[in-house]
């Protein structure tokens, strides 16, 4: 049973607080948009697809008790969406989900302008639809990615792209989970992924929990592991894919891609279509989240750097499409040149 990053329980969302993993499995009830904003911003719920579904529930939570006119309700929808949109800037799923919810609200309002209750109830149904869709999308990404895996393969990954980052079995880790289910023995090298250690804390935990062989390594050890022929395939996730195939993903991904190129290791990105942003021509336009410097100067609340030191802490970086072998989506794997293939997929 894959772990549940987020679910809906009657009258609130429930999330597994990922800041507590791997030591504690603490579930939090989220009953307001403000609480969902905080959960997204603090990475209690994280990963592009999971953030999208979380934002959708957050928007519903912000309007479910509204009792004004339809005009006021739609204004409230926009206001809550605007607030949630400020939680994190890079994962396009957040904005994709909020736009989808705003569009659905207007569809329902147009269908029955006198019944705001239809809008409120319809928004919960739309958020639940996104949750179910993500489960199916992950499964399909897994099945397409499975075609790349062979017994004995050693796969390197960065950050966390499993069930914790999605609502299903994951994106880049989805093929690994399906291979394991089918008795195809592969092993994973998981970059610890400084500074928030999603690899050490989350990927290692998910894979161990599933009985999949996982070896944890420092981010700086990935290149030399590839240099000595220790990696057969790199699989990573995405937070935003530009129209030309440039990919924003957890910081450190572009270094892994450079090493993979240098040492002839295939480098694949797993990305649902909801993470593809055709509105951006290249990765240079992707907003990169800068986070609090204390994430770098402290580990587990213990300071490891001198007081006052300047910190550069981008949460993501952009891998140019020329370093990417292929992009695994729920509609198949696309190879360079990406532009036309991505437009065809997203049509
Ligand atoms: C399947 S999306 C996973 C993606 O999201 C992660 O970022 P964060 O942990 O900051 O939400 C990372 O970039 C992963 O590749």
């Amino acid at each position: 049973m894959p772990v549940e990053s987020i679910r809906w329980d009657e009258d609130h969302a429930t999330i597994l607080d990922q800041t507590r993993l791997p030591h504690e499995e603490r579930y939090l009830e989220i009953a307001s948009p403000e609480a969902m904003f905080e959960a997204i911003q603090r990475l209690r719920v994280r990963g592009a697809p999971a953030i999208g579904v979380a934002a959708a529930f957050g928007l519903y939570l912000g309007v479910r008790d509204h009792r004004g006119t339809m005009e006021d309700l739609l204004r409230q929808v926009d206001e809550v969406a605007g607030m949630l949109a400020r939680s994190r800037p890079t994962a396009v799923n957040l904005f994709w989900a909020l736009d989808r919810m705003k569009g659905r609200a207007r569809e329902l309002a147009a269908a029955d302008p006198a019944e705001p209750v239809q809008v409120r109830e319809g928004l919960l149904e739309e958020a639940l639809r996104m949750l179910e869709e993500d489960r199916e999308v992950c499964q399909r990404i897994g099945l397409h990615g499975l075609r790349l895996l062979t017994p004995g393969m050693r796969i390197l990954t960065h950050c966390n792209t499993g069930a914790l980052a999605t609502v299903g079995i994951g994106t880049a880790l989805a093929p690994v989970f399906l291979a394991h289910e089918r008795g195809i023995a592969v092993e994973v090298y998981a970059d610890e992924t400084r500074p928030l250690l999603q690899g050490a804390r989350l990927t290692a935990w998910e894979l161990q929990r599933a009985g999949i062989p996982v070896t944890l390594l420092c981010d700086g050890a990935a290149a030399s592991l590839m240099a000595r022929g220790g990696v057969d395939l790199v699989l990573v996730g995405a937070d935003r894919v530009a129209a030309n195939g440039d990919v924003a993903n957890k910081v450190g991904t572009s270094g892994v891609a450079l090493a993979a190129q240098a040492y002839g290791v295939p480098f694949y990105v797993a990305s649902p279509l909801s993470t593809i942003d055709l509105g951006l021509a290249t990765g240079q336009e992707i907003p990169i989240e800068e986070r609090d410097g204390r994430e770098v100067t402290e580990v587990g609340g213990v300071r490891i750097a001198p007081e006052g030191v300047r910190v550069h802490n981008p949460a993501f970086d952009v891998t140019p499409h020329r370093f990417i072998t292929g992009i695994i989506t729920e509609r198949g794997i696309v190879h360079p040149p990406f532009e036309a293939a991505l437009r065809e997929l997203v049509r």
Side-chain angles (χ1 to χ4, degrees):
M1 169 72 178
V3 70
E4 276 188 319
S5 62
I6 185 169
R7 65 171 186 265
W8 183 257
D9 290 328
E10 296 298 317
D11 62 352
H12 62 271
T14 300
I15 65 167
L16 174 54
D17 182 351
Q18 297 187 35
T19 65
R20 301 278 178 164
L21 291 173
H23 307 304
E24 184 187 359
E25 293 182 42
R26 174 183 291 190
Y27 288 86
L28 297 177
E29 293 189 5
I30 304 290
S32 73
E34 294 75 14
M36 192 61 85
F37 178 98
E38 191 270 353
I40 294 171
Q41 195 171 58
R42 287 286 319 281
L43 282 77
R44 299 186 195 281
V45 58
R46 46 146 298 281
I51 287 172
V53 172
F57 284 131
L59 196 157
Y60 167 69
L61 289 166
V63 301
R64 66 172 172 185
D65 299 328
H66 186 279
R67 294 294 181 270
T69 65
M70 182 68 86
E71 185 186 2
D72 284 350
L73 174 58
L74 293 177
R75 191 178 300 117
Q76 177 82 351
V77 165
D78 290 345
E79 197 174 299
V80 175
M83 181 267 281
L84 289 164
R86 289 190 291 274
S87 56
R88 295 187 75 188
T90 304
V92 71
N93 298 61
L94 174 67
F95 311 99
W96 167 83
L98 292 171
D99 287 346
R100 176 166 160 177
M101 292 288 276
K102 289 191 289 185
R104 184 64 180 143
R106 276 155 178 80
E107 269 176 18
L108 292 164
D112 196 343
E115 290 296 337
V117 64
Q118 299 296 341
V119 175
R120 295 196 302 269
E121 290 173 359
L123 285 176
L124 176 57
E125 289 164 10
E126 191 68 10
L128 291 167
R129 247 190 302 275
M130 284 186 212
L131 184 143
E132 287 309 319
E133 285 171 12
D134 190 65
R135 288 200 175 111
E136 178 61 23
V137 164
C138 290
Q139 192 69 16
R140 291 176 182 211
I141 288 174
L143 289 170
H144 288 301
L146 195 55
R147 302 198 323 255
L148 301 172
L149 304 192
T150 53
M153 207 169 226
R154 298 150 308 164
I155 299 162
L156 183 128
T157 193
H158 193 73
C159 197
N160 172 258
T161 59
L164 288 171
T166 64
V167 178
I169 58 172
T171 57
L173 286 184
V176 172
F177 285 120
L178 293 185
H180 182 67
E181 268 181 20
R182 287 155 173 76
I184 302 169
V186 297
E187 64 173 295
V188 175
Y189 282 91
D191 282 354
E192 62 174 350
T193 315
R194 284 272 299 155
L196 293 181
L197 303 173
Q198 287 91 329
R201 294 186 304 108
L202 307 177
T203 296
W205 181 77
E206 277 200 63
L207 294 175
Q208 270 194 340
R209 189 173 176 277
I212 296 171
V214 53
T215 303
L216 182 60
L217 67 158
C218 295
D219 299 333
S224 55
L225 180 63
M226 288 189 238
R228 66 168 210 248
V231 177
D232 303 302
L233 174 68
V234 174
L235 286 179
V236 297
D239 290 85
R240 196 178 303 216
V241 181
N244 69 344
D246 291 348
V247 170
N249 195 52
K250 184 51 53 196
V251 64
T253 302
S254 63
V256 171
L258 286 169
Q261 176 95 346
Y263 297 116
V265 178
F267 180 93
Y268 280 84
V269 173
S271 168
L273 299 183
S274 55
T275 304
I276 296 171
D277 183 355
L278 295 180
L280 299 185
T282 75
Q284 297 313 310
E285 300 167 59
I286 299 175
I288 299 297
E289 180 182 11
E290 289 280 344
R291 292 184 64 88
D292 188 313
R294 282 172 296 180
E295 293 177 355
V296 178
T297 58
E298 297 176 9
V299 177
V302 177
R303 192 169 182 83
I304 56 165
E307 291 292 343
V309 66
R310 287 186 296 178
V311 179
H312 173 54
N313 184 24
F316 301 97
D317 63 22
V318 175
T319 299
H321 59 83
R322 66 182 181 277
F323 296 128
I324 298 171
T325 310
I327 300 175
I328 308 163
T329 76
E330 61 270 38
R331 290 193 186 152
I333 301 176
V334 291
H335 295 93
F338 289 116
E339 184 117 19
L342 291 175
R343 288 193 186 284
E344 182 61 25
L345 279 183
V346 180
R347 251 172 5 117

